[in-house]
Amino acid sequence: AQKITQTQPGMFVQEKEAVTLDCTYDTSDQSYGLFWYKQPSSGEMIFLIYQGSYDEQNATEGRYSLNFQKARKSANLVISASQLGDSAMYFCAMRSFSGGYNKLIFGAGTRLAVHP
Amino acid sequence: GAGVSQSPSNKVTEKGKDVELRCDPISGHTALYWYRQSLGQGLEFLIYFQGNSAPDKSGLPSDRFSAERTGGSVSTLTIQRTQQEDSAVYLCASSLDGEQFFGPGTRLTVL
């Protein structure tokens, strides 16, 4: 069975510091994709970053980077130079490209609070 | 540009009534997804449409839930005989070949 685990229900970080949000996944598929989404209090889901299981390099998008450790089945999100606007819920998700799965499996989320 | 839109943004209904939630995907996106997000929880997959293929209904929690996608575009999620546990935000997403773009959601409250 496929599963995403986010063990940090809440995280605090000081503005301008870096923070790592943990995500581990469980799958028996060889080909899969990992996503991070941000959900501010307004409720919209904002795509942040994507990592394919065969990508050799860690994905980066501006201040966001994904620390992909395939052997450990972890895909942690690193936010550098935190900003007050980064305060939101963050969801890790996985999509499989085999076995007929077409849906995203989401973790329970981590609420990030950035303090001035 | 036009993103995924959903209507209504909020819906309050009485227990036992039927409700219809609408999703307009991004034009040209062949895949459409419905998710449910209960208060303080992650997203729960409900149903997935891909082109003209039969939808993946594996996430629908009961036979009170159904969805249609007409003309490969607009989708309607119908909940019959609503129950209080159906109260949640219902999110729609569309994609072309990978990244899913989400709508703002419909907040359903069943009294």
Side-chain angles (χ1 to χ4, degrees):
Chain A
Q2 298 190 323
K3 186 178 180 182
I4 292 283
T5 302
Q6 293 180 255
T7 58
Q8 306 154 315
M11 288 284 286
F12 297 89
V13 66
Q14 204 73 24
E15 193 179 10
K16 299 181 185 178
E17 292 186 350
V19 62
T20 299
L21 306 184
D22 294 343
C23 172
T24 58
Y25 59 93
D26 188 16
T27 182
S28 57
D29 294 322
Q30 296 301 310
S31 181
Y32 51 89
L34 296 157
F35 299 76
W36 276 92
Y37 283 86
K38 172 184 178 182
Q39 187 178 44
S41 56
S42 57
E44 62 192 301
M45 293 287 285
I46 303 169
F47 167 77
L48 295 178
I49 196 167
Y50 168 80
Q51 179 86 40
S53 57
Y54 290 116
D55 294 342
E56 294 185 353
Q57 291 192 333
N58 287 344
T60 60
E61 289 286 347
R63 294 186 299 111
Y64 304 107
S65 61
L66 200 151
N67 185 1
F68 181 47
Q69 298 188 36
K70 195 170 182 177
R72 290 186 171 186
K73 291 189 175 179
S74 74
N76 299 339
L77 177 70
V78 180
I79 306 175
S80 62
S82 298
Q83 302 173 355
L84 296 178
D86 294 335
S87 295
M89 281 290 288
Y90 288 81
F91 292 99
C92 181
M94 176 173 62
R95 182 166 73 105
S96 173
F97 299 108
S98 62
Y101 287 98
N102 296 303
K103 55 186 177 284
L104 287 180
I105 308 295
F106 282 84
T110 295
R111 182 172 297 281
L112 176 67
V114 181
H115 293 299
Chain B
V4 178
S5 61
Q6 293 185 245
S7 61
S9 55
N10 280 284
K11 176 71 177 179
V12 180
T13 189
E14 293 180 347
K15 178 181 173 181
K17 295 285 180 69
D18 297 351
V19 295
E20 284 189 352
L21 312 179
R22 177 187 168 105
C23 171
D24 282 88
I26 293 173
S27 178
H29 280 193
T30 55
L32 187 148
Y33 306 77
W34 282 99
Y35 296 88
R36 177 170 71 175
Q37 186 176 27
S38 300
L39 186 64
Q41 302 294 314
L43 275 69
E44 174 191 10
F45 167 79
L46 297 178
I47 188 168
Y48 158 77
F49 296 89
Q50 174 64 57
N52 295 321
S53 303
D56 175 359
K57 303 180 181 180
S58 61
L60 295 178
S62 77
D63 58 8
R64 296 186 295 105
F65 288 73
S66 63
E68 291 184 342
R69 189 178 185 194
T70 54
S73 181
V74 172
S75 177
T76 302
L77 177 69
T78 301
I79 309 173
Q80 296 178 310
R81 305 180 302 282
T82 52
Q83 304 294 313
Q84 288 182 331
E85 60 263 29
D86 298 335
S87 296
V89 175
Y90 290 82
L91 288 158
C92 173
S94 71
S95 73
L96 184 57
D97 58 1
E99 176 191 345
Q100 294 187 17
F101 294 84
F102 283 81
T106 294
R107 182 176 297 279
L108 175 66
T109 303
V110 182
L111 301 177

